[in-house]
Amino acid sequence: MNFEDPYTFSILALSYLLLLTALAGCIVPVLPGAFLVGFVVVGVKLLLPAAFGWPFVVVVCIFLGLVQMLDLLLSWAGAKKFGATWRGGLGAIIGSVLGIFMQPFFVWIFIMPFIMAFVFEWLGGSEIRNSMKAGFGAFMGTFLSMVLKVVFVSASIAAFTVAVFMKT
């Protein structure tokens, strides 16, 4: 690949800008995060076919799907790990979704799973202590999910860089 070609250079520069946006999106939920990695990888493959092979695209997209599923399930799993019933797990998932729409995002994506897991457990008849444990578990699951997304996107950026620049 000719990196001095303006077309190639522009595609790769835009790709890295989007990949850095994806990394920020792991923390700021308004940005697409991990999904953006798949978009970039497929887009580069279509626009610069010699950049890397389709197996790379497939592997990245499979991991993307797994990360997206785990993103939703980790709040629930965290709540369950700390003793929540199905109500607390459901509250954690609802809180994860609600937190995206509240300002400031960075605060509410962690607080809402905690609050909703607590409220659902408490309204379901659990004692306040057990409801608090469920809320804490939802918080921990949400935090673990963010760490997982940062690791996935960072590894994807590294793999993308190796795939593109090692083919030259």
Side-chain angles (χ1 to χ4, degrees):
M1 227 173 9
N2 180 9
F3 297 110
E4 294 176 7
D5 173 40
Y7 176 76
T8 302
F9 180 81
S10 298
I11 296 297
L12 291 176
L14 178 60
S15 296
Y16 278 103
L17 181 63
L18 291 173
L19 289 171
L20 291 175
T21 302
L23 190 57
C26 295
I27 299 167
V28 180
V30 174
L31 301 174
F35 175 75
L36 195 51
V37 172
F39 175 78
V40 168
V41 168
V42 170
V44 169
K45 178 60 183 163
L46 295 175
L47 295 171
L48 300 172
F52 40 75
W54 282 107
F56 178 77
V57 176
V58 169
V59 168
V60 168
C61 289
I62 287 171
F63 277 107
L64 167 67
L66 292 172
V67 166
Q68 291 301 109
M69 286 189 318
L70 284 174
D71 186 23
L72 285 177
L73 294 177
L74 281 174
S75 291
W76 174 79
K80 294 292 285 178
K81 178 76 175 162
F82 282 77
T85 63
W86 66 270
R87 290 181 297 276
L90 179 63
I93 291 174
I94 291 171
S96 294
V97 173
L98 289 177
I100 293 170
F101 299 105
M102 300 177 77
Q103 295 286 341
F105 304 108
F106 189 74
V107 172
W108 288 106
I109 59 171
F110 294 110
I111 293 176
M112 282 308 291
F114 174 86
I115 291 171
M116 296 304 285
F118 170 80
V119 167
F120 275 50
E121 278 295 311
W122 186 59
L123 291 176
S126 291
E127 294 178 8
I128 288 183
R129 177 176 162 79
N130 292 340
S131 299
M132 289 292 284
K133 284 174 54 180
F136 179 73
F139 170 82
M140 293 304 294
T142 302
F143 181 77
L144 180 62
S145 172
M146 183 185 71
V147 170
L148 177 70
K149 287 186 288 186
V150 167
V151 168
F152 167 75
V153 171
S154 298
S156 296
I157 292 170
F160 179 85
T161 300
V162 168
V164 168
F165 289 99
M166 297 305 277
K167 276 217 140 184
T168 58

